[in-house]
Amino acid sequence: MSAPAPRPGILDISPYVGGEAHAPGVDRLIRLASNEGALGPSPRAVEAYRNAAAEVHRYPDGHSTALRDGLARLYGLDSARIVCGTGSDELLGLLTRSYAGPGDEVLYSTHGFLMYPISAKSVGATPVAAPETGLKADVDALLAHVTERTKIVFIANPNNPTGSFLTTDEMRRLHAGLPEHVVLVIDAAYAEYVDRPDYTAGAELVEEFANVVMTRTFSKIYALGGLRLGWAYCPPAIADVLNRVRGPFNVSSASQIAGVAAVEDQEFIERSRLHNDTWREWLAARLTELGLTVHPSIANFLLVSFANAASDGNQAAEAARQFLKSRGILVRQMGGYGLPHCLRISIGTEEEMRAVADAVAAFLKG
């Protein structure tokens, strides 16, 4: 008896593999493979989550009203244009399902988030990767790859795993070159870490144009990755589409309640951002002193190249990862992103950053 056959293209998907969370034989783990918030979640969010336990038998608010209102107040947005989801991953998938299908193309940059091509293949669309320049999305290359079949352009800004970003002017130039039927999705998962006058997360573009969507997450600076919570800011017509295709109760009550409390604790978020600024620059300086190439980043991680550490940079990066793992330090190997000579290291606590620097130094010393 043969098994049911999935739709064509599904078996061509290489499943997404997240950062490691275990190291056998190690008593204490330092988890720096998934870009989680270094300081953990806001204590107010944790308390709110605990207090929600007595009501878990109730269905959640299917419209995430309190959370949408809190986000609207914080960022000065129209709450009617906000759609909440089970992490921004769900929203990226819903956008792909809603606007692309067999025969269509979904465009992204070569070292963009792996969920973009996965989402495209899941609906029968063709993922198209435009080359980058200096590990940064290239506006001209992206526009050169737009065809009549292009339906969505995904841009992570800042980008994971490179840490690079497109400026406000570059983002506007990208949008100006796209046909009106193409949806530009700005994946701003790391926006809260950025404090630069030449950067935009994209909200004003959403309000100005009918084909721009901004997605955000609570998994990074808000450190609520375990609750799977994200949101999108959309033109009214796209918000309407997403609300038609999402599940009726797609965000749990506990996630909504914790999210509201996290949004209200901006003092904690600012402390997290300043911590990240300090220790990202500190670690970048230490690793550079060791002779490694550390690519500039405005997010909560560093992309570190081992190309100059040995005759075979790919082998050196993997050997370094295994060495760090033996010490209980988990970082991310970048082969899946076409960067096998690199490791991505999330910014953690001061103790964790010093431990990483010491371990890398010991590895290079041999």
Side-chain angles (χ1 to χ4, degrees):
M1 180 180 293
S2 61
R7 190 175 51 73
I10 296 296
L11 295 182
D12 294 332
I13 297 173
S14 297
Y16 182 85
V17 179
E20 286 187 295
H22 305 283
V26 175
D27 294 330
R28 178 177 178 271
L29 282 178
I30 296 177
R31 294 175 56 173
L32 304 173
S34 298
N35 301 340
E36 297 153 333
L39 303 185
S42 157
R44 289 168 59 178
V46 173
E47 180 182 9
Y49 179 76
R50 287 173 176 157
N51 292 339
E55 295 293 321
V56 295
H57 62 300
R58 303 294 184 192
Y59 276 97
D61 171 10
H63 302 287
S64 302
T65 306
L67 179 56
R68 288 169 44 239
D69 288 347
L71 290 166
R73 285 192 299 271
L74 175 63
Y75 294 109
L77 306 177
D78 178 359
S79 64
R81 293 173 171 232
I82 297 174
V83 180
C84 295
T86 310
S88 56
D89 288 343
E90 181 195 22
L91 296 162
L92 298 174
L94 290 175
L95 285 163
T96 308
R97 177 152 59 97
S98 299
Y99 291 96
D104 296 331
E105 295 177 348
V106 172
L107 181 61
Y108 63 105
S109 62
T110 298
H111 302 302
F113 187 33
L114 289 177
M115 285 306 300
Y116 306 151
I118 289 176
S119 295
K121 290 180 179 179
S122 73
V123 301
T126 301
V128 177
E132 297 182 0
T133 300
L135 296 184
K136 174 181 174 178
D138 185 316
V139 172
D140 293 322
L142 285 162
L143 293 177
H145 282 73
V146 173
T147 73
E148 61 183 13
R149 294 184 297 278
T150 305
K151 294 299 190 297
I152 299 174
V153 176
F154 283 117
I155 290 292
N157 204 35
N159 186 57
N160 168 30
T162 62
S164 59
F165 75 104
L166 292 182
T167 66
T168 302
D169 289 345
E170 289 171 321
M171 192 64 74
R172 283 189 171 275
R173 186 164 71 86
L174 173 61
H175 175 266
L178 296 176
E180 292 182 354
H181 74 271
V182 175
V183 181
L184 174 60
V185 180
I186 304 171
D187 180 357
Y190 300 91
E192 290 86 358
Y193 289 107
V194 186
D195 183 17
R196 295 180 59 110
D198 58 346
Y199 170 81
T200 178
E204 74 278 12
L205 297 177
V206 174
E207 295 180 341
E208 190 174 346
F209 303 107
N211 62 338
V212 180
V213 175
M214 173 188 71
T215 62
R216 304 283 282 269
T217 183
F218 279 82
S219 297
K220 304 309 176 185
I221 203 167
Y222 285 103
L224 295 176
L227 294 186
R228 310 309 303 126
L229 184 60
W231 57 285
Y233 193 52
C234 316
I238 294 181
D240 176 63
V241 168
L242 293 183
N243 281 321
R244 291 171 185 269
V245 298
R246 68 176 175 83
F249 304 105
N250 61 326
V251 181
S252 73
S253 297
S255 296
Q256 292 181 40
I257 290 169
V260 169
V263 165
E264 292 175 346
D265 194 358
Q266 286 302 303
E267 180 182 351
F268 181 83
I269 297 306
E270 179 63 11
R271 187 160 72 249
S272 296
R273 187 184 67 78
L274 293 174
H275 171 91
N276 185 75
D277 287 349
T278 298
W279 290 100
R280 182 186 63 209
E281 301 313 311
W282 183 90
L283 183 62
R286 298 292 85 74
L287 297 180
T288 299
E289 290 172 359
L290 293 173
L292 299 176
T293 299
V294 181
H295 296 283
S297 171
I298 62 169
N300 71 329
F301 56 83
L302 292 172
L303 183 69
V304 182
S305 172
F306 284 75
N308 297 327
S311 58
D312 187 336
N314 298 355
Q315 186 178 54
E318 176 59 16
R321 186 182 71 85
Q322 294 293 348
F323 182 86
L324 293 175
K325 185 176 179 178
S326 72
R327 294 191 169 200
I329 302 172
L330 302 179
V331 299
R332 189 71 180 270
Q333 218 282 343
M334 290 286 101
Y337 285 91
L339 299 165
H341 58 290
C342 292
L343 298 178
R344 192 193 66 196
I345 304 174
S346 304
I347 304 306
T349 65
E350 174 180 352
E351 178 187 5
E352 291 170 343
M353 295 298 89
R354 293 187 183 279
V356 168
D358 290 343
V360 173
F363 168 77
L364 293 174
K365 186 177 180 179

